[in-house]
Coordinates of all heavy atoms in Angstrom, one line a residue:
V196 N -11.9 -3.8 -22.8 CA -10.6 -3.3 -22.7 C -9.6 -3.6 -24.0 O -9.0 -2.9 -24.6 CB -9.8 -3.9 -21.5 CG1 -8.4 -3.5 -21.5 CG2 -10.6 -3.3 -20.2
R197 N -9.9 -4.9 -24.4 CA -9.2 -5.3 -25.8 C -9.7 -4.5 -26.9 O -8.7 -4.0 -27.7 CB -9.4 -6.8 -26.0 CG -8.7 -7.6 -24.9 CD -8.8 -9.2 -25.2 NE -8.5 -9.9 -24.0 CZ -9.4 -10.5 -23.2 NH1 -10.6 -10.5 -23.6 NH2 -9.0 -11.1 -22.2
E198 N -10.9 -4.2 -27.0 CA -11.4 -3.3 -28.0 C -11.0 -2.0 -28.0 O -10.6 -1.4 -29.0 CB -13.1 -3.4 -27.9 CG -13.8 -2.7 -29.2 CD -13.6 -3.5 -30.4 OE1 -12.9 -4.4 -30.5 OE2 -14.1 -2.9 -31.4
C199 N -10.8 -1.3 -26.7 CA -10.2 -0.1 -26.6 C -8.6 -0.2 -27.1 O -8.3 0.8 -27.8 CB -10.1 0.3 -25.1 SG -11.8 0.9 -24.5
N200 N -8.0 -1.2 -26.7 CA -6.6 -1.3 -27.2 C -6.6 -1.2 -28.8 O -5.8 -0.7 -29.4 CB -5.9 -2.7 -26.7 CG -5.6 -2.5 -25.2 OD1 -5.2 -3.4 -24.6 ND2 -5.6 -1.3 -24.6
R201 N -7.5 -2.2 -29.3 CA -7.4 -2.3 -30.9 C -7.7 -0.9 -31.5 O -7.0 -0.6 -32.6 CB -8.5 -3.3 -31.3 CG -8.6 -3.6 -32.7 CD -9.7 -4.6 -33.0 NE -11.1 -4.0 -33.0 CZ -11.6 -3.4 -34.0 NH1 -10.8 -3.2 -35.1 NH2 -12.8 -2.8 -33.8
L202 N -8.6 -0.2 -31.0 CA -9.0 1.1 -31.6 C -8.1 2.2 -31.2 O -8.0 3.2 -32.0 CB -10.4 1.5 -31.4 CG -11.6 0.7 -31.9 CD1 -12.9 0.9 -31.2 CD2 -11.7 0.8 -33.4
G203 N -7.4 2.2 -30.1 CA -6.6 3.2 -29.6 C -7.5 4.2 -28.8 O -7.5 5.5 -29.0
V204 N -8.4 3.7 -27.9 CA -9.2 4.5 -27.1 C -8.5 4.3 -25.6 O -8.3 3.2 -25.2 CB -10.6 4.0 -27.0 CG1 -11.4 4.7 -25.9 CG2 -11.4 4.3 -28.4
L205 N -8.3 5.5 -24.9 CA -7.8 5.4 -23.6 C -8.9 4.8 -22.6 O -10.1 5.1 -22.7 CB -7.4 6.8 -23.2 CG -6.8 7.0 -21.8 CD1 -5.7 8.1 -21.9 CD2 -7.8 7.3 -20.7
V206 N -8.3 3.8 -21.7 CA -9.2 3.2 -20.7 C -8.8 4.1 -19.4 O -7.8 4.0 -18.9 CB -8.9 1.8 -20.5 CG1 -9.6 1.2 -19.4 CG2 -9.0 1.0 -21.8
D207 N -9.9 4.9 -19.0 CA -9.8 5.5 -17.8 C -10.1 4.7 -16.6 O -11.1 4.2 -16.4 CB -10.7 6.8 -17.9 CG -10.5 7.7 -16.7 OD1 -9.5 7.4 -15.9 OD2 -11.4 8.5 -16.5
L208 N -9.0 4.7 -15.6 CA -9.3 3.9 -14.4 C -9.9 4.7 -13.2 O -10.2 4.0 -12.2 CB -7.8 3.3 -13.9 CG -7.2 2.4 -15.0 CD1 -5.7 2.3 -14.9 CD2 -7.8 1.1 -15.0
S209 N -10.1 5.9 -13.3 CA -10.8 6.6 -12.2 C -12.2 6.2 -12.1 O -12.9 5.9 -13.2 CB -10.7 8.2 -12.6 OG -9.5 8.8 -12.4
H210 N -12.7 6.0 -10.9 CA -14.0 5.5 -10.5 C -14.0 3.9 -10.6 O -15.0 3.4 -10.0 CB -15.1 5.9 -11.4 CG -15.5 7.4 -11.2 ND1 -16.2 7.8 -10.2 CD2 -15.0 8.6 -11.9 CE1 -16.3 9.2 -10.2 NE2 -15.6 9.6 -11.3
L211 N -13.0 3.3 -11.2 CA -13.1 1.8 -11.1 C -12.6 1.2 -9.7 O -11.7 1.8 -9.1 CB -12.1 1.4 -12.2 CG -12.0 -0.2 -12.5 CD1 -13.4 -0.8 -13.0 CD2 -11.0 -0.4 -13.7
N212 N -13.2 0.1 -9.3 CA -12.7 -0.4 -8.0 C -11.4 -1.1 -8.2 O -10.9 -1.3 -9.4 CB -13.7 -1.3 -7.4 CG -14.1 -2.6 -8.3 OD1 -13.2 -2.9 -9.2 ND2 -14.9 -3.4 -7.8
E213 N -10.7 -1.6 -7.1 CA -9.4 -2.0 -7.2 C -9.2 -3.3 -8.0 O -8.4 -3.4 -8.7 CB -8.7 -2.2 -5.8 CG -7.2 -2.4 -5.8 CD -6.6 -2.4 -4.5 OE1 -7.2 -2.1 -3.5 OE2 -5.4 -2.7 -4.5
R214 N -10.2 -4.2 -7.8 CA -10.0 -5.5 -8.6 C -10.2 -5.3 -10.0 O -9.5 -5.9 -10.8 CB -11.0 -6.5 -8.0 CG -10.5 -7.2 -6.7 CD -11.6 -8.2 -6.2 NE -11.9 -7.6 -4.9 CZ -12.7 -8.4 -4.0 NH1 -13.3 -9.4 -4.4 NH2 -13.0 -7.9 -2.8
G215 N -11.1 -4.4 -10.4 CA -11.2 -4.0 -11.8 C -9.8 -3.3 -12.3 O -9.4 -3.6 -13.4
F216 N -9.3 -2.5 -11.5 CA -8.0 -2.0 -11.8 C -7.0 -3.0 -12.2 O -6.3 -2.9 -13.2 CB -7.5 -1.1 -10.7 CG -6.2 -0.3 -10.9 CD1 -6.1 1.0 -11.2 CD2 -5.0 -1.1 -10.7 CE1 -4.8 1.6 -11.4 CE2 -3.8 -0.5 -10.8 CZ -3.8 0.9 -11.1
W217 N -6.9 -4.0 -11.4 CA -5.9 -5.0 -11.5 C -6.2 -5.9 -12.8 O -5.3 -6.3 -13.5 CB -5.7 -5.8 -10.4 CG -5.1 -5.1 -9.2 CD1 -5.6 -4.8 -8.0 CD2 -3.7 -4.4 -9.2 NE1 -4.7 -4.0 -7.2 CE2 -3.6 -3.7 -7.9 CE3 -2.7 -4.3 -10.1 CZ2 -2.5 -2.9 -7.6 CZ3 -1.7 -3.5 -9.7 CH2 -1.6 -2.9 -8.5
D218 N -7.5 -6.0 -13.1 CA -7.9 -6.7 -14.2 C -7.4 -6.0 -15.5 O -6.8 -6.6 -16.4 CB -9.5 -7.0 -14.3 CG -9.8 -8.1 -13.5 OD1 -9.1 -9.0 -13.0 OD2 -11.0 -8.1 -13.1
V219 N -7.7 -4.7 -15.5 CA -7.2 -3.8 -16.6 C -5.7 -3.9 -16.8 O -5.2 -4.1 -17.8 CB -7.7 -2.3 -16.5 CG1 -7.1 -1.5 -17.6 CG2 -9.2 -2.2 -16.4
A220 N -5.0 -3.9 -15.6 CA -3.5 -3.8 -15.7 C -3.1 -5.1 -16.2 O -2.0 -5.1 -17.0 CB -2.9 -3.7 -14.3
R221 N -3.8 -6.2 -16.0 CA -3.3 -7.5 -16.6 C -3.5 -7.7 -18.0 O -2.8 -8.2 -18.8 CB -4.1 -8.8 -16.0 CG -3.4 -9.3 -14.7 CD -4.0 -10.6 -14.2 NE -5.3 -10.3 -13.7 CZ -5.5 -9.9 -12.4 NH1 -4.4 -9.8 -11.5 NH2 -6.7 -9.6 -11.9
I222 N -4.7 -7.0 -18.6 CA -5.2 -7.1 -19.9 C -4.5 -6.1 -20.9 O -4.1 -6.5 -22.0 CB -6.6 -7.1 -19.9 CG1 -7.3 -8.2 -19.1 CG2 -7.2 -7.1 -21.5 CD1 -8.8 -8.0 -18.9
T223 N -4.5 -4.9 -20.5 CA -4.2 -3.9 -21.4 C -2.8 -3.7 -22.0 O -1.9 -4.1 -21.2 CB -4.6 -2.4 -20.9 OG1 -4.5 -1.4 -21.8 CG2 -3.6 -2.1 -19.7
E224 N -2.7 -3.3 -23.2 CA -1.4 -3.1 -23.7 C -1.0 -1.6 -23.7 O 0.2 -1.2 -24.1 CB -1.4 -3.6 -25.1 CG -1.5 -5.2 -25.3 CD -2.1 -5.6 -26.7 OE1 -2.1 -4.7 -27.6 OE2 -2.4 -6.7 -26.8
A225 N -1.8 -0.9 -23.1 CA -1.6 0.7 -23.1 C -1.2 1.1 -21.7 O -1.3 0.4 -20.8 CB -2.9 1.4 -23.6
P226 N -0.5 2.3 -21.7 CA -0.2 2.8 -20.4 C -1.5 2.9 -19.4 O -2.6 3.2 -19.9 CB 0.3 4.3 -20.6 CG 0.6 4.2 -22.1 CD -0.3 3.2 -22.7
L227 N -1.2 2.7 -18.1 CA -2.3 2.8 -17.2 C -2.6 4.3 -16.8 O -1.7 4.9 -16.4 CB -2.1 1.9 -15.8 CG -1.9 0.5 -16.1 CD1 -1.5 -0.2 -14.7 CD2 -3.1 -0.2 -16.5
V228 N -3.8 4.7 -16.9 CA -4.1 6.1 -16.7 C -5.3 6.3 -15.9 O -6.4 5.7 -16.0 CB -4.5 6.8 -18.1 CG1 -4.8 8.3 -17.8 CG2 -3.2 6.8 -19.0
A229 N -5.2 7.1 -14.8 CA -6.4 7.6 -14.0 C -6.4 9.0 -14.3 O -5.6 9.8 -13.9 CB -6.1 7.2 -12.5
T230 N -7.5 9.4 -15.0 CA -7.6 10.8 -15.5 C -7.9 11.8 -14.4 O -7.5 13.0 -14.5 CB -8.7 11.0 -16.5 OG1 -9.9 10.6 -15.9 CG2 -8.4 10.3 -17.7
H231 N -8.6 11.3 -13.2 CA -8.9 12.4 -12.2 C -9.0 11.6 -10.9 O -10.1 11.3 -10.3 CB -10.1 13.3 -12.5 CG -11.5 12.5 -12.7 ND1 -11.5 11.5 -13.7 CD2 -12.6 12.5 -12.2 CE1 -12.8 11.0 -13.7 NE2 -13.4 11.7 -12.8
S232 N -7.9 11.4 -10.3 CA -7.8 10.6 -8.9 C -6.6 11.2 -8.2 O -5.7 11.7 -8.8 CB -7.6 9.1 -9.2 OG -8.8 8.5 -9.7
N233 N -6.6 10.9 -6.8 CA -5.5 11.4 -6.1 C -5.0 10.2 -5.3 O -5.1 9.0 -5.6 CB -6.1 12.5 -5.2 CG -6.4 13.7 -5.9 OD1 -5.9 14.0 -6.9 ND2 -7.2 14.6 -5.4
V234 N -4.1 10.6 -4.2 CA -3.2 9.8 -3.5 C -4.0 9.2 -2.3 O -4.4 10.0 -1.4 CB -1.9 10.6 -3.1 CG1 -1.1 9.7 -2.1 CG2 -1.2 10.9 -4.2
H235 N -4.2 7.9 -2.2 CA -5.0 7.3 -1.0 C -4.1 7.5 0.2 O -4.9 7.7 1.3 CB -5.2 5.9 -1.4 CG -6.2 5.2 -0.5 ND1 -5.8 4.6 0.8 CD2 -7.6 5.1 -0.7 CE1 -7.0 4.2 1.3 NE2 -7.9 4.4 0.5
A236 N -2.8 7.5 0.2 CA -2.1 7.6 1.4 C -2.3 9.0 2.0 O -2.0 9.2 3.3 CB -0.6 7.4 1.2

Side-chain angles (χ1 to χ4, degrees):
V196 172
R197 291 187 196 100
E198 187 65 0
C199 285
N200 285 170
R201 184 181 74 79
L202 292 167
V204 170
L205 182 140
V206 178
D207 180 16
L208 296 161
S209 290
H210 290 279
L211 185 59
N212 68 5
E213 192 175 350
R214 278 176 242 181
F216 176 102
W217 293 117
D218 281 341
V219 174
R221 267 188 293 275
I222 296 165
T223 189
E224 290 157 9
L227 297 177
V228 176
T230 59
H231 59 306
S232 290
N233 290 337
V234 176
H235 195 271

